[in-house]
Amino acid sequence: MIEKLGTVFKQFEKEISLLTNKADILNLKAKYIGKKGEVSEVLQGLKDLILEERQKVGPVANEIKDKIQNIIQDKLNKAEIEEINDGLKQNRVDVTRVESAFVNNHEHGGLHPITLIQQEVENIFLSMGFEVLDGPHIENEHNNFIALNIPADHPARDMQDTFWFHSPSGDVEKKALLRTHTSCVQIRGMKERRPPFRFIAPGKVFRCERTDASHEMVFHQTEGMLVGENISVTNLIYFMKVLLSEIFKKDVEVRLRPGFFPFVEPGFELDIKCLICGGTGCSVCKQVGWVELLPCGMVHPSVLQMSGIDPAKYNGFAFGLGLDRLVMMRYGIDDIRHFHSGDLRFVSQFKSY
Ligand code: PHE
């Protein structure tokens, strides 16, 4: 009988080695150690044996039953892991592939039109050797006004209605405000540099204004400054013409009119010939044929002096490019308030990645 159990076990080992499928393994389990299984039948037959035989066969039969039980459990575990791995293989997501990364097809955002034009302007000036500076939105009275030739009692302060912070101190270096223009970055830039230098400073500016189609409380400028020896208005016109031709992708005609800003002398308003009508007059240029685009001028000697630069030796030009106006001109946008409306129908027209 013990011999028979040995052959049964060998047979079992042979059969199980061929199986990988869970159902087949369970069938084999029934065949050997199920109620009517071959080993179970031997165990049931024990009661008919004489005591001496029973004591010999019993433990062997039990041992074989346990062994079979363990081997089967082992095999079942392996089959289960195999099944999980197969499933993973079939539903595999390859995250290195773009279409897998966007399986949900969610809307994805783009850059704001002002950001796009700012990047364009930065690239144009970088290619002409300018640095790009950044300045804080919260400025002090010194940088925003005084060092730019706008003392406390100057009427030019009225042109720039200012958001002031409550400041306990009267110290102009500590009196805080939201910058009204990017010209304050001229002062920051001059403090850390000696001529010759050239930089631009793009960013948000703030004025306490009533809003309408062409006025916002928050808008965007790019300040520009170039200081060196023997700089002339011709240099200023050259850089402005390059900038505008690059932005509008065609040769633009410009003209200068006198303009007043306390930190430049002489100061100008630079106009471009209307790109919509070519100068014959239309609603965009209000029938004048020219559009006012860019205030600029030669840096005032006292501004250089206040920042520690000798105006007898050095001079330069500065300009303040309105980015909102530029985008509006380029795309024929008739209301500045669209920019901060948060209306996706507006901004999604400029999507770019
Ligand atoms: N800062 C001026 C403004 O915002 C513009 C300007 C800049 C004018 C540089 C001249 C030179 O109105």
Side-chain angles (χ1 to χ4, degrees):
M1 201 155 238
I2 290 180
E3 233 167 70
K4 193 186 166 206
L5 278 170
T7 3
V8 166
F9 183 67
K10 277 218 178 84
Q11 179 63 25
F12 164 79
E13 275 187 314
K14 208 159 140 200
E15 284 186 50
I16 190 117
S17 70
L18 303 172
L19 303 183
T20 50
N21 177 296
K22 234 170 153 182
D24 294 343
I25 298 169
L26 288 173
N27 279 340
L28 196 71
K29 181 181 180 184
K31 181 175 169 197
Y32 284 92
I33 54 173
K35 249 191 192 155
K36 295 210 164 118
E38 291 184 30
V39 180
S40 314
E41 269 174 2
V42 175
L43 283 167
Q44 275 156 22
L46 283 178
K47 58 179 184 328
D48 304 328
L49 297 178
I50 53 164
L51 182 66
E52 207 177 301
E53 288 265 328
R54 209 187 303 159
Q55 278 171 343
K56 262 195 216 153
V57 180
V60 178
N62 273 321
E63 194 188 320
I64 286 181
K65 191 185 172 189
D66 288 349
K67 259 188 180 167
I68 291 178
Q69 181 90 41
N70 290 339
I71 291 173
I72 288 204
Q73 197 49 52
D74 222 43
K75 203 76 186 184
L76 282 174
N77 291 345
K78 276 191 190 134
E80 186 133 352
I81 290 171
E82 209 55 28
E83 227 170 63
I84 293 172
N85 282 342
D86 277 354
L88 285 176
K89 256 184 224 150
Q90 271 165 31
N91 301 318
R92 181 154 181 255
V93 176
D94 181 356
V95 290
T96 61
R97 291 178 56 148
V98 175
E99 61 267 38
S100 317
F102 294 115
V103 274
N104 286 333
N105 244 347
H106 282 172
E107 270 266 4
H108 31 105
L111 294 174
H112 192 275
I114 301 274
T115 311
L116 290 171
I117 204 121
Q118 182 178 320
Q119 288 179 345
E120 244 178 84
V121 170
E122 284 178 15
N123 286 333
I124 293 167
F125 278 102
L126 281 169
S127 76
M128 297 195 286
F130 282 68
E131 290 175 73
V132 179
L133 304 191
D134 199 12
H137 293 161
I138 299 176
E139 253 303 357
N140 61 50
E141 186 181 2
H142 175 83
N143 288 347
N144 196 82
F145 289 128
I146 294 175
L148 286 163
N149 238 359
I150 318 176
D153 55 358
H154 200 290
R157 289 222 181 177
D158 294 345
M159 286 159 53
Q160 302 192 358
D161 274 333
T162 310
F163 288 109
W164 290 93
F165 289 88
H166 281 297
S167 313
S169 143
D171 183 347
V172 292
E173 303 262 2
K174 291 198 183 120
K175 258 180 102 179
L177 49 82
L178 285 178
R179 69 178 181 190
T180 57
H181 50 183
T182 43
S183 299
C184 44
V185 192
Q186 285 186 31
I187 309 306
R188 290 177 176 269
M190 279 191 282
K191 215 178 256 171
E192 292 157 3
R193 283 169 188 73
R194 290 302 92 180
F197 56 75
R198 49 180 91 175
F199 57 76
I200 59 164
K204 280 191 167 62
V205 297
F206 310 82
R207 290 190 198 170
C208 185
E209 306 221 25
R210 190 187 293 266
T211 58
D212 61 28
S214 49
H215 293 89
E216 256 288 21
M217 283 189 275
V218 182
F219 54 103
H220 305 80
Q221 291 184 335
T222 293
E223 195 73 10
M225 183 177 221
L226 181 148
V227 175
E229 286 180 57
N230 300 319
I231 308 300
S232 70
V233 176
T234 317
N235 299 128
L236 166 63
I237 295 174
Y238 167 77
F239 281 107
M240 297 306 98
K241 273 196 84 156
V242 171
L243 164 71
L244 298 172
S245 312
E246 291 274 335
I247 291 278
F248 293 113
K249 310 272 183 266
K250 55 170 124 167
D251 246 351
V252 292
E253 224 175 295
V254 304
R255 73 173 186 190
L256 292 183
R257 285 180 294 115
F260 176 72
F261 306 94
F263 36 95
V264 285
E265 180 57 38
F268 307 106
E269 290 286 1
L270 186 142
D271 301 340
I272 62 166
K273 186 161 272 177
C274 181
L275 295 170
I276 313 290
C277 64
T280 52
C282 67
S283 63
V284 172
C285 60
K286 302 194 182 87
Q287 311 306 329
V288 195
W290 295 87
V291 179
E292 184 182 319
L293 204 63
L294 214 151
C296 53
M298 303 305 288
V299 183
H300 197 292
S302 337
V303 171
L304 292 173
Q305 185 105 51
M306 275 188 270
S307 287
I309 293 170
D310 180 4
K313 189 160 180 220
Y314 298 107
N315 66 344
F317 64 74
F319 57 88
L321 177 66
L323 293 180
D324 309 70
R325 173 71 69 85
L326 212 54
V327 182
M328 290 170 80
M329 268 294 290
R330 190 199 246 182
Y331 297 110
I333 298 165
D334 57 4
D335 196 321
I336 193 174
R337 290 168 294 191
H338 286 307
F339 289 128
H340 287 158
S341 63
D343 189 338
L344 290 179
R345 288 170 308 175
F346 173 73
V347 285
S348 59
Q349 297 176 70
F350 305 92
K351 253 183 196 173
S352 133
Y353 304 100

